[in-house]
Amino acid sequence: MTTYWAEQAWVDGVVEPGVVLEVEPESHAEPESRAEPEPQAAPGTEAAPGTAAARGLLAAVRTGAAAPPPGATVLRGLTLPGLANAHSHAFHRALRGTVQVGSGTFWTWREVMYGVADRLTPDTYYDLARAVYAEMALAGITCVGEFHYVHHAPGGARYDDPNAMGHALIAGAAAAGIRLTLLDTAYLAAGFGKPPGRHQVRFSDGDADAWAARAAALPADGRTTRVGAAVHSVRAVPAGQLATVAAWAADRGAPLHVHLSEQPAENEACAAAHGVTPARLLADHGVLGRRTTAVHATHLTGGDTALLGRSGTGVCMCPTTERDLADGIGPAKAVEGAGSPLSLGSDSHAVIDLFEEARAMELNERLRTRRRGHWTAHHLLRAATEGGYAALGWDAPARLERGGLADFTTVALDSVRTAGAMPRLGAETAVFAATAADVRHTVVGGRHVVRDGVHALVEDVPGALAAAIGALHG
């Protein structure tokens, strides 16, 4: 048993002083081996205490401990459940800075992005993913959903291992010490009725049946890995093949994600091709539902919002990317009010900071409505933690409670950004003042991955990022 003592911790929506967290840690394969994760207990069964599947959960959470128990690891600051980054494109991290030169639109940004994608190999992708996921751990992110569509070699040739790129991402997350839901993405067309272009051919499996066959060969879910599915967008998967992707996910009880209405041009093209909105097209082909998460959902009609809500489809907001790409402000309050649970993602990694994503959602709504207080800090933290875990297919509670995942992060309350606030307002301080730079500790499955702001597995994260990105730009 491993014991942590949190100076302050967010438990049941309340900041409690002196909280003991007892964990039976998971065992971990050496990252260098790139070993495939062990399978978990079958859905609906309970793992026996002490088994690999049972470890990594919180065995006990006790409040009111004025001092650390003997041998406990002390966590100074506010300890929160681990942050879940529900939408990531790891290779976009190589664009940071580069795409801030000059002006343009989403569509001109996309051409620069394709240039980076063209230079990825399984080895360079592993190096980049390891570094990017380590950056996430330093930011308090304990679980990431990777929307993965760079499947094949440039020109579309298949690697000897058809899932070499997916395996590189899985290994990168293991080496960085965080959980991963690999959302293997169907990306089959350049637009409605258009075959893949020169850049997109390495994304495509040809058709949805071939995509499904390749995705089925990915490793089974493990202790720190899940495999899900994604429809890149309605413009990238022909309507007649959407049901194949949806059925693949449904048969496995896996999460299914989709970029939805990120740009008005997508809505216009869908209306021209099919006479309906993208949301209606997805609903007609069985894509929407409680295991599905729509990413962005920026430009919805009222009918679209109702469709998402009635079906229980979640919505992942990515405010820092949406503003960086000039996409617009998404209707987060409206979709949540209609019944869609919310999660958050850093998407293109203009920044990697889930506190910024959480407060941006509220601040964007303030700008749109010229009124304050659409969500409480506690509500925003739930979107950044358990909302993301649920969207990524993790069934164990992402909360500081007995039986919950032993994934948590500690935010300093004595930095220049957070000092001076009353401890009982720690949640408000974290959401509306803290940044990723204030994260002091990150624990995943009971394993202390970041200690006092230093990554335990990746010795020099900035150096690893510079080397991996330099290899792509060099």
Side-chain angles (χ1 to χ4, degrees):
M1 193 75 69
T2 300
T3 302
Y4 294 90
W5 179 81
E7 184 179 36
Q8 308 282 338
W10 189 59
V11 180
D12 288 334
V14 176
V15 176
E16 298 276 4
V19 177
V20 174
L21 304 168
E22 292 185 353
V23 184
E24 187 171 358
E26 297 172 322
S27 60
H28 295 269
E30 289 297 319
E32 291 79 5
S33 70
R34 302 200 187 186
E36 293 184 3
E38 295 178 8
Q40 288 193 314
T45 66
E46 186 172 346
T51 65
R55 293 196 294 268
L57 300 181
L58 287 164
V61 176
R62 299 197 303 274
T63 60
T73 297
V74 174
L75 306 175
R76 296 286 179 193
L78 173 65
T79 296
L80 305 166
L83 304 174
N85 188 349
H87 189 67
S88 163
H89 301 288
F91 77 92
H92 288 191
R93 175 62 179 80
L95 299 171
R96 190 182 296 177
T98 303
V99 291
Q100 304 305 334
V101 177
S103 60
T105 66
F106 168 86
W107 306 103
T108 55
W109 169 90
R110 191 176 69 157
E111 292 304 310
V112 181
M113 178 269 288
Y114 284 154
V116 172
D118 284 346
R119 293 189 287 274
L120 289 170
T121 69
D123 287 340
T124 61
Y125 211 4
Y126 167 77
D127 291 339
L128 181 60
R130 171 179 173 268
V132 173
Y133 296 151
E135 181 184 356
M136 290 186 192
L138 289 171
I141 293 166
T142 51
C143 182
V144 60
E146 184 62 36
F147 200 98
H148 166 54
Y149 55 80
V150 187
H151 300 306
H152 308 297
R158 273 42 176 175
Y159 292 109
D160 291 340
D161 171 5
N163 284 306
M165 298 295 270
H167 287 143
L169 291 163
I170 291 169
I178 71 172
R179 298 185 193 272
L180 170 74
T181 296
L182 185 71
L183 298 161
D184 196 279
T185 303
Y187 193 140
L188 308 173
F192 297 99
K194 298 179 181 178
R198 176 173 64 87
H199 296 296
Q200 298 147 332
V201 70
R202 76 176 303 191
F203 309 157
S204 177
D205 291 293
D207 60 33
D209 288 331
W211 167 84
R214 181 189 49 73
L218 285 161
D221 288 350
R223 294 189 309 272
T224 57
T225 305
R226 293 283 184 274
V227 175
V231 169
H232 178 274
S233 57
V234 292
R235 68 179 186 274
V237 177
Q241 300 185 54
L242 289 169
T244 299
V245 184
W248 188 97
D251 289 347
R252 291 160 175 77
L256 174 62
H257 288 216
V258 54
H259 290 138
L260 175 64
S261 292
E262 184 175 3
Q263 287 286 319
E266 175 184 307
N267 293 355
E268 294 161 7
C270 187
H274 297 288
V276 295
T277 66
R280 179 76 261 175
L281 188 68
L282 294 173
D284 290 347
H285 291 274
V287 175
L288 302 185
R290 296 192 179 279
R291 285 190 310 275
T292 300
T293 297
V295 181
H296 302 303
T298 309
H299 301 282
L300 301 180
T301 67
D304 294 338
T305 299
L307 271 177
L308 296 177
R310 284 199 303 270
S311 62
T313 299
V315 173
C316 177
M317 305 301 295
C318 306
T320 65
T321 289
E322 289 150 7
R323 73 190 184 201
D324 183 61
L325 297 181
D327 285 344
I329 297 173
K333 194 65 182 176
V335 294
E336 184 185 50
S340 292
L342 297 178
S343 55
L344 296 166
S346 64
D347 191 4
S348 69
H349 312 315
V351 296
I352 293 177
D353 188 336
L354 264 287
F355 300 116
E356 175 63 19
E357 303 294 346
R359 70 172 155 264
M361 191 163 68
E362 164 67 21
L363 298 181
N364 282 353
E365 195 70 9
R366 292 182 186 184
L367 287 175
R368 191 181 67 80
T369 64
R370 290 177 289 175
R371 185 171 60 83
R372 304 176 78 236
H374 300 274
W375 292 278
T376 66
H378 298 275
H379 199 142
L380 294 168
L381 281 177
R382 283 193 289 274
T385 56
E386 59 188 284
Y389 271 84
L392 296 175
W394 294 86
D395 297 327
R399 298 186 291 274
L400 300 182
E401 63 181 38
R402 185 177 183 275
L405 290 167
D407 296 1
F408 39 92
T409 187
T410 303
V411 182
L413 294 179
D414 58 358
S415 76
V416 293
R417 289 164 294 276
T418 60
M422 290 180 286
R424 66 181 178 83
L425 298 178
E428 287 78 8
T429 303
V431 171
F432 290 105
T435 73
D438 295 311
V439 170
R440 293 292 176 265
H441 302 278
T442 301
V443 174
V444 183
R447 186 187 201 186
H448 210 154
V449 175
V450 173
R451 186 188 297 265
D452 294 319
V454 177
H455 202 289
L457 305 177
V458 181
E459 183 176 354
D460 177 9
V461 178
L465 285 164
I469 293 168
L472 296 176
H473 290 307

